Amino acid sequence: MPEPGGGGSRLFGGAEPLAAELRLALEVQRKWQPPVDLRLGACRVTARSRQAAEVGGDLFDAVVLDDTVVAVLVGDVPGKGLQAAFMVPALLLLFRSELKRGASPAGLLERMNRVLAGLRAESLAAVGVTLGIGLLDVEAGEMRYAGAGHPAPYLAMPGARPRQLDSSSLPLGMSPEESYRETVFRLAPGERFVLYTDGVIEDAGPDGEMYGFDRLEAELADWPDDVPAADWMERLLDGQESREASRRDDRTLLVVEYAAGKAGRRAELRERSWRVPSAPGCERSIAAELAAMLREDWSDSGRTDDIVTCVAEAVMNAAEHGNGFDERKAVAVQVHFGHSIMVCRIRDEGDGFDLPAKLADSRPDDDNEYGRGWGLRLIDELTDYWIAARDEHGFCVEMYFLSHHRKS
């Protein structure tokens, strides 16, 4: 029989670091993987995910490029637990970094594949990451798609049999010289482009029978035109969870809806843009208009004060520290919000700065050294997720807010 405190102390000593790692993984995933619900012109992108454990290996993202192109990604990291969980933000960071360099989806996959293959050679990464990447030109309705070992996506129209796109290739990290084939097509008005992870298809009921492609295709064909993507996803995922599973993996769905030419659709979303000269106090008119919009159409979210505070702070930062109060330079603001999420992008015409380096070098009392520091810390406290980026056009802050409204 072990001495009192002996075995228990060793057990606790091992469990405490593990719990700390789990908390860190949860926080990292929360910051990097907020629910996606954005709209750009005639395009709307929605994504939802359910994890089989506390932390998961599925990843998804949607990024607006130059206000005319939407890039979407869905992927699956092999393995379970903390190793897979920490690979997710690393892959999302790699994806966004490669996006800035520009390329087709196939080119993006090839560059990401070489990075992962190099890590594999150094025994630093698991192999077999599956990814699907799409780039949609919103004005033309043209989608370019390439996959790396990922389940083939669907094109779906209400009441019609969905069509599965051919997408066969090796997962990332297997061979540094792998090339990826790209598919180019135009979305018809009302058409849906559907990406998913294999956990959706392979979800097994108590008898061991998998959910399967036939059931997913039937759900896609029966999806009514007037049902929002978020509601359709939640219903499908809830339906899977209503049965006791004999096997369950992480499950992720991402849908791109193209509504060009369909009058009256998507009335549940609101959007607004502003462009103001960089003068002291330029944030006031935006803050007043935005507060009125939120109180009229998003009052049950409980986020009006948080949102207006963050937007005003970001506009002030952009005008002063980005554009130097040069009234010849503008601050551009875009907001989009629906039932459950709001996205706001604020861009200036300044040089920006290396945000990770500045934050890493900062001390609690030196925020004024680089001007934007205190404002970005305030944004970090009040948003559910935010990201900042610098490119040839200036500096952009993108903020996400989730509604606090609870359904009765």
Side-chain angles (χ1 to χ4, degrees), residues 317-318 321-322 348 352-353 367 370-377 395 397:
N317 266 330
H321 302 293
D348 61 47
F353 56 83
D367 283 336
Y370 57 97
R372 298 188 196 242
W374 186 88
L376 293 182
R377 292 181 189 279
F395 185 82
V397 175

Side-chain angles (χ1 to χ4, degrees), residues 106-317:
L108 288 168
L109 287 174
E110 287 169 7
R111 293 206 302 255
M112 294 177 71
N113 177 59
R114 286 194 289 271
V115 171
L116 291 184
L119 292 176
R120 174 194 181 192
E122 299 175 16
S123 301
L124 295 176
V127 298
V129 174
T130 74
L131 284 183
I133 295 176
L135 291 179
L136 175 66
D137 183 324
V138 175
E139 294 180 353
E142 182 179 88
M143 173 73 81
R144 307 178 74 89
Y145 175 79
H150 201 73
Y154 281 100
L155 287 174
M157 289 282 281
R161 182 178 178 83
R163 177 166 64 94
Q164 198 169 27
L165 298 178
D166 182 26
S167 177
S168 59
S169 56
L170 284 178
L172 299 185
M174 305 290 289
S175 169
E177 303 305 320
E178 178 71 6
S179 60
Y180 297 92
R181 187 171 73 248
E182 193 165 292
T183 301
V184 183
F185 55 92
R186 287 184 181 273
L187 289 169
E191 195 162 27
R192 295 148 171 166
F193 175 70
V194 183
L195 285 166
Y196 54 96
T197 55
D198 58 9
V200 173
I201 299 301
E202 297 174 0
D203 190 74
D207 57 358
E209 181 183 2
M210 291 197 304
Y211 185 78
F213 290 100
D214 289 343
R215 293 186 190 179
L216 178 59
E217 290 174 5
E219 288 282 356
L220 288 169
D222 293 340
W223 178 3
D225 182 69
D226 59 350
V227 173
D231 293 348
W232 177 79
M233 293 176 184
E234 297 291 350
R235 185 186 67 187
L236 189 153
L237 296 172
D238 286 345
Q240 289 186 336
E241 291 182 357
S242 66
R243 57 179 187 170
E244 183 179 348
S246 64
R247 184 176 65 259
R248 180 153 287 158
D249 195 0
D250 302 329
R251 294 161 296 141
T252 299
L253 291 156
L254 183 148
V255 173
V256 178
E257 297 175 274
Y258 189 64
K262 295 187 72 65
R265 284 175 59 88
R266 311 304 172 229
E268 73 275 7
L269 249 85
R270 288 288 305 277
E271 56 186 27
R272 178 76 162 86
S273 298
W274 295 268
R275 189 174 178 86
V276 295
S278 299
C282 63
E283 79 282 356
R284 295 171 191 163
S285 62
I286 295 176
E289 287 188 46
L290 179 59
M293 286 179 64
L294 293 170
R295 292 186 181 112
E296 179 181 352
D297 297 306
W298 226 48
S299 59
D300 61 355
S301 71
R303 304 303 302 275
T304 296
D305 290 341
D306 287 355
I307 294 168
V308 173
T309 298
C310 285
V311 171
E313 181 61 41
V315 172
M316 283 190 288
N317 266 330

